[in-house]
Amino acid sequence: MRRLIYLLVIAVAAPARGAVDATLVAKIDATARAVGWADWDRDGDLDLAIGAGSDVLVYRNHHGVLTLAYSTHTDGVWDLAWGDVNGDGASDLAIGGPTSISILINNGSGTGWDESYVVMETGAAAAVHGVAFGDVDGDQDLDLAASAWN
């Protein structure tokens, strides 16, 4: 089965509820389980990360035009989330996969990653299907939540 990613521009007419207009702006042929937006290259445009099978694909957005800028192979991508883990102002990427949770640390130039960390090995018995960042304890740094099931 082939999966496609549809990028839509959605406009909601205010104040009328339910008045939604969606315009297809791109269609990417990828076997994707996860997608997320962040300004990866720090140019002011939101870039797109896609978890496609065992690959993480990052598409650079240059004034509304998406081009593949980076890809890396992992043990599998079930979910991903952007967040500034180390407080340097650059968006880092957490990846939930079939056996682990990993974090890619952005090099700050929009060309790749400085480091990659496996935060937790879950083993084959617990695939990580959801990851999300938030400041749970109010200490001004991001915490990571993950959901797993087997």
Side-chain angles (χ1 to χ4, degrees):
M1 174 172 44
R2 194 175 106 192
R3 296 180 185 178
L4 298 173
I5 298 168
Y6 293 95
L7 304 178
L8 304 171
V9 173
I10 298 179
V12 178
R17 291 180 151 228
V20 177
D21 177 39
T23 304
L24 179 66
V25 293
K27 184 168 62 171
I28 299 171
D29 190 356
T31 303
R33 289 191 173 129
V35 295
W37 294 99
D39 188 6
W40 178 62
D41 57 5
R42 302 169 82 172
D43 67 352
D45 294 324
L46 290 177
D47 306 303
L48 179 65
I50 299 173
S54 293
D55 297 316
V56 175
L57 310 173
V58 179
Y59 285 83
R60 177 172 292 140
N61 179 358
H62 184 70
H63 304 296
V65 177
L66 295 173
T67 55
L68 183 62
Y70 186 86
S71 67
T72 189
H73 192 73
T74 69
D75 69 339
V77 181
W78 294 84
D79 196 18
L80 54 81
W82 289 102
D84 183 8
V85 175
N86 57 358
D88 66 353
S91 296
D92 308 307
L93 191 61
I95 302 164
T99 62
S100 66
I101 302 166
S102 302
I103 296 181
L104 300 175
I105 303 297
N106 189 335
N107 67 12
S109 68
T111 59
W113 315 100
D114 277 339
E115 301 172 73
S116 174
Y117 296 100
V118 174
V119 177
M120 181 177 164
E121 292 283 348
T122 60
V128 179
H129 288 265
V131 289
F133 283 110
D135 184 8
V136 176
D137 51 9
D139 64 355
Q140 306 302 309
D141 64 10
L142 291 179
D143 306 300
L144 181 65
S147 65
W149 60 274
N150 56 4

